[in-house]
Amino acid sequence: MEKLTQRKSTGMDMLSGPLAGRIVLFALPLIASGILQQSFNATDAIVIGRYATSQALAAVGSNGPIINLIITLFVGLSVGVNVVIAHYIGRRDENGVRNSVSTAVVISLVSGIVLLLAGQVLSRPMLELLATPEDVIDLASQYLKIYFLGMPFLMVYNFGAAILRSIGDTRRPFYSLIVAGAVNVVLDLFFVGNLGMGVDGVAAATAIANGVNAAIMAWFLLTEAEPIRVNPRRLRISGTEFRKIVRIGLPAGIQGMVFSISNLFILSAINSFGSMASAGSAASLNYEVYCYFIVTAFVQSTVAFTSQNYAAGNIARCNRIFALNMLFAVVGSALMDVLIFWQGELCISLFTSDPDVMPFALVRVRYVLLFQFIACSYEISGAAMRGLGYSMTPTVLTIFGTCFFRLLWVYLFPKFGGGFKELMSVYPVTWIITGVAVVGAYLIVRRKAYSHLEPAR
């Protein structure tokens, strides 16, 4: 197992040495990777916003919650992959690592095919359920069906990146995304700017870019050192590792799905204000996603570092991992939130110049983006619990604290004459409620988890 912990060119030793610098080095490529991945959709929105209509922009932007709903279950399973492999690394169990990697690759291939088929069947029905405006729904359905043709590629990348993160390698997934992001931008401009295509052009560009991304990731895994290396002849699902991955990853996936469902109801409420509100919300949402990648990078750092150190019995190190990741996530995301709020009109103008769209976008910036850092409280705490092997607790609390109250808010706000501002206020309110609950649960779970271990010497 020394080749995993000592391979400086690609991996990282998470079990010894200074933590702060290594956490930052682990997280920075993840932040950059998230920004590049989101740039696939952002580039779509910018190109459509400049070369097409506001209805086309709304069609592209309104699909985000639907895409998240369908893929989050499987992406949640990739969290389980990260935790299980990291636990085996902490215990120096090469056979467990090898079986887990093989199982993860098979899951990625099967889930990608399932998502491709689901996207073709469910696209328009889901848009209809969301009361998507009539002047948007045909374009939105067209975009979604083409986008989901690239789902097998996206799953291969996500599960492959989870495998590499478990050994502390966040740089190579970033390098892969640089290439794929460049491909996406070039194809967007070519299909839409040169060939005159619309939402079909940007969707096709994203699907092709995802294919490039998956090919690069597959090459990384096929040439990696043992026991991480993928051998196509040995690909199979290990029942033991599959159950462990599902036990950790399924609750995370369910949480993401329910979270997305609540956002779909909010999207439906946004759509009730018309296509201009939908377009404005879509433009602002791009920046929320960008800022959230700072949070999710330290979430992934919390999972990976905690998993290895907990398995190795490093209790004091686990506590410091939690504190450092919480600090870095809150400060980093808050600074970015304030910066975009300060330059709100300039940022939104990159996506649209429509004067009817801008007011809705700025309301979302003021009432949602500015307070987004509060979500670090439950995200980092939940990640720490998953690293300790407790995945259901943060799932239940997040579903109740965030999703339940959002649905209640969406139901009640029209009855009290609420407008677009009141609708957007649901986000910071539910972030506070969920944060208090999950942080408290983490302190209790941590004590229980540590009681099963002896501190490392």
Side-chain angles (χ1 to χ4, degrees):
M1 190 59 71
E2 289 184 357
K3 56 190 159 189
L4 286 178
T5 58
Q6 295 181 1
R7 198 172 167 190
K8 303 300 183 184
S9 62
T10 56
M12 178 183 295
D13 182 4
M14 301 182 186
L15 297 173
S16 60
L19 275 171
R22 293 183 185 184
I23 287 172
V24 171
L25 288 175
F26 182 95
L28 285 177
L30 285 174
I31 295 171
S33 297
I35 290 172
L36 280 175
Q37 197 163 24
Q38 174 60 18
S39 292
F40 288 0
N41 288 334
T43 301
D44 293 348
I46 290 173
V47 172
I48 283 293
R50 290 297 178 182
Y51 288 94
T53 64
S54 293
Q55 285 75 20
L57 174 62
V60 172
S62 64
N63 276 309
I66 297 176
I67 292 170
N68 290 336
L69 171 65
I70 297 177
I71 71 172
T72 45
L73 176 62
F74 299 95
V75 172
L77 289 177
S78 73
V79 175
V81 170
N82 194 337
V83 172
V84 170
I85 296 176
H87 276 176
Y88 281 126
I89 292 173
R91 295 168 186 156
R92 302 185 182 277
D93 183 347
E94 289 196 14
N95 192 53
V97 172
R98 192 177 289 109
N99 289 337
S100 299
V101 168
S102 175
T103 301
V105 172
V106 176
I107 293 173
S108 73
L109 295 172
V110 173
S111 62
I113 294 171
V114 170
L115 288 170
L116 185 155
L117 297 174
Q120 306 311 306
V121 174
L122 301 175
S123 295
R124 190 174 185 92
M126 293 185 69
L127 290 166
E128 290 173 347
L129 284 174
L130 291 173
T132 304
E134 288 296 324
D135 57 345
V136 172
I137 191 168
D138 288 337
L139 293 173
S141 178
Q142 182 184 30
Y143 177 87
L144 203 55
K145 288 182 178 180
I146 297 173
Y147 182 94
F148 269 87
L149 293 176
M151 278 297 109
F153 305 134
L154 188 59
M155 289 298 102
V156 168
Y157 172 79
N158 282 329
F159 277 79
I163 292 170
L164 294 181
R165 283 196 302 270
S166 69
I167 61 171
D169 182 4
T170 56
R171 287 179 291 171
R172 284 185 292 173
F174 171 56
Y175 300 151
S176 177
L177 278 169
I178 290 177
V179 177
V183 169
N184 189 71
V185 171
V186 171
L187 291 180
D188 267 347
L189 294 172
F190 177 71
F191 288 154
V192 179
N194 287 33
L195 300 184
M197 299 172 68
V199 296
D200 55 340
V202 294
T206 300
I208 294 170
N210 282 332
V212 172
N213 205 12
I216 297 172
M217 179 58 66
W219 183 78
F220 287 152
L221 294 175
L222 290 170
T223 58
E224 177 59 52
E226 289 285 354
I228 295 295
R229 178 183 296 167
V230 172
N231 185 337
R233 296 179 181 177
R234 295 203 304 253
L235 285 181
R236 65 181 181 85
I237 288 184
S238 166
T240 299
E241 316 316 331
F242 179 77
R243 286 189 292 272
K244 290 180 179 179
I245 290 171
V246 169
R247 183 174 62 84
I248 299 295
L250 186 60
I254 292 173
Q255 174 183 317
M257 286 187 68
V258 177
F259 194 85
S260 296
I261 289 172
S262 71
N263 285 336
L264 287 176
F265 279 92
I266 295 175
L267 176 60
S268 179
I270 291 171
N271 288 339
S272 69
F273 289 94
S275 59
M276 296 301 101
S278 181
S281 178
S284 177
L285 182 60
N286 283 288
Y287 291 103
E288 292 171 33
V289 175
Y290 278 129
C291 293
Y292 218 73
F293 282 125
I294 297 174
V295 181
T296 56
F298 290 106
V299 165
Q300 294 291 347
S301 171
T302 304
V303 169
F305 278 81
T306 302
S307 298
Q308 281 200 27
N309 282 276
Y310 176 67
N314 296 326
I315 292 177
R317 198 170 173 85
C318 286
N319 291 338
R320 184 161 173 76
I321 288 167
F322 172 77
L324 286 171
N325 278 288
M326 182 69 79
L327 175 64
F328 293 150
V330 170
V331 173
S333 58
L335 288 175
M336 187 61 69
D337 293 343
V338 171
L339 177 62
I340 295 174
F341 169 76
W342 176 46
Q343 295 294 329
E345 289 193 24
L346 175 63
C347 292
I348 298 301
S349 67
L350 294 176
F351 291 91
T352 180
S353 57
D354 192 328
D356 294 326
V357 172
M358 183 67 73
F360 289 102
L362 292 178
V363 165
R364 179 152 188 155
V365 168
R366 295 187 190 107
Y367 283 79
V368 182
L369 180 76
L370 184 59
F371 301 100
Q372 195 177 41
F373 69 92
I374 299 172
C376 296
S377 57
Y378 68 84
E379 290 284 13
I380 300 298
S381 301
M385 280 190 270
R386 291 193 170 94
L388 297 173
Y390 293 80
S391 190
M392 186 58 71
T393 300
T395 294
V396 172
L397 292 175
T398 302
I399 288 174
F400 183 78
T402 298
C403 304
F404 172 78
F405 279 101
R406 286 184 184 179
L407 295 178
L408 183 64
W409 191 289
V410 169
Y411 174 75
L412 292 177
F413 94 97
K415 298 181 180 298
F416 295 94
F420 194 72
K421 293 178 181 179
E422 287 73 23
L423 176 61
M424 293 297 98
S425 298
V426 67
Y427 288 100
V429 171
T430 53
W431 287 333
I432 293 171
I433 293 172
T434 308
V436 171
V438 179
V439 169
Y442 163 71
L443 297 176
I444 297 171
V445 166
R446 183 175 70 178
R447 190 180 306 114
K448 178 181 178 182
Y450 291 172
S451 68
H452 302 303
L453 295 177
E454 290 294 330
R457 302 189 181 198

